[in-house]
Each structure stands twice: as structure tokens, then as C-alpha cells.
Amino acid sequence: MFDLVSSNPMLQMMDRSMTLATRRMTLIAGNLANIDTPGFKTRDFSFEDAFKAEMARLDGQMSPSSTRPLPSYFPDSTSALAAGTTAGTPAFERNDLNDVNLDQQTMELAKTQNIYQMASNFAQAELRRVLGAIRDGAK
């Protein structure tokens, strides 16, 4: 039987986007939690680069006969994450060698939350479209 959900490229793309956004929000939350830890270095990864890599991987795995869900690109939480300072942040902002910048981290968190919300909205719209097709087919 044809699976309308797991073979839907739009839903797969939005799933990957929300997964990446969740991973990035987790990193940012960890950065914020360690804002007063002496010597702590900001951790982050490029959402754009990871998303492009995921879409290239998704394009390579899609075939007209593929109807099974794709395996997770990130089997653990550190696969695509690179430790280091966030671009634009001074290497050592404070005397305790902690480079977490509250303003920058909250801005990155807000941007990532917007990405997650947009992907969620697109996924919901696509699921409504699939549900409409199912209902129309049942008539």
C-alpha cells in the first residue's frame, strides 16, 4: 500500500528541519545555562549548512518506488555539532574566559524558534492536504 506520509518529500523535509532546529535550540539552551561557568566556550553549528546537507541526502535517497521512512540523519546528538565559538563572538569576552553572549544567544534562539515554527506550519498544511486527498478518495 502506498504510504502518503513517509514518502512525502515535503513532510520529510519539514521533519528534518524541525529535528535540526530542536538540536540547535538544545545547544543554545546549554550555552545559556553555562553563562556563568568560567572557561565555558559557546557551542553551535551552522543550521544552514546542516539543512543543505540533509536536503542533499534526502534528494539522494528519494526514488519513485521508495515508500519507507528514511533513517535518521543524526543518530546521536553530536553528529553535526561542532564545538567552538559562535561566529562574531570575541574569543574571550570576559575575564573568566567564558565567551557566552546573552544577547547573541537569545537572538539565535529566537531565529531558531521561528524556523521550527515555520517548518511545523508547513508540515501541518501538508498533512491537511494529504487528509483532504484521503477524504476525497473515500467519497
Side-chain angles (χ1 to χ4, degrees), residues 91-122:
F92 300 113
E93 190 170 300
R94 303 184 324 220
N95 290 337
D96 66 357
L97 306 180
N98 183 313
D99 70 350
V100 178
N101 181 316
L102 179 63
D103 292 335
Q104 183 179 18
Q105 292 298 303
T106 53
M107 180 186 67
E108 293 298 328
L109 184 61
K111 285 179 5 184
T112 307
Q113 288 171 329
N114 285 336
I115 290 169
Y116 184 93
Q117 186 64 46
M118 183 178 63
S120 174
N121 289 344
F122 278 124

Side-chain angles (χ1 to χ4, degrees), residues 42 44 84-90 104 108:
T42 303
D44 201 356
T85 58
T86 304
T89 301
Q104 183 179 18
E108 293 298 328

Side-chain angles (χ1 to χ4, degrees), residues 1-16 18 58 62 66-70 123-124 126-134:
M1 172 147 179
F2 185 70
D3 187 352
L4 293 173
V5 177
S6 66
S7 64
N8 186 315
M10 178 69 152
L11 289 176
Q12 291 174 349
M13 185 171 58
M14 292 304 103
D15 175 57
R16 300 303 197 273
M18 289 187 290
L58 189 62
M62 286 302 298
S66 177
T67 59
R68 65 186 187 286
L70 299 175
Q124 289 174 19
E126 187 66 14
L127 286 170
R128 279 189 217 103
R129 191 181 71 77
V130 169
L131 180 60
I134 292 169

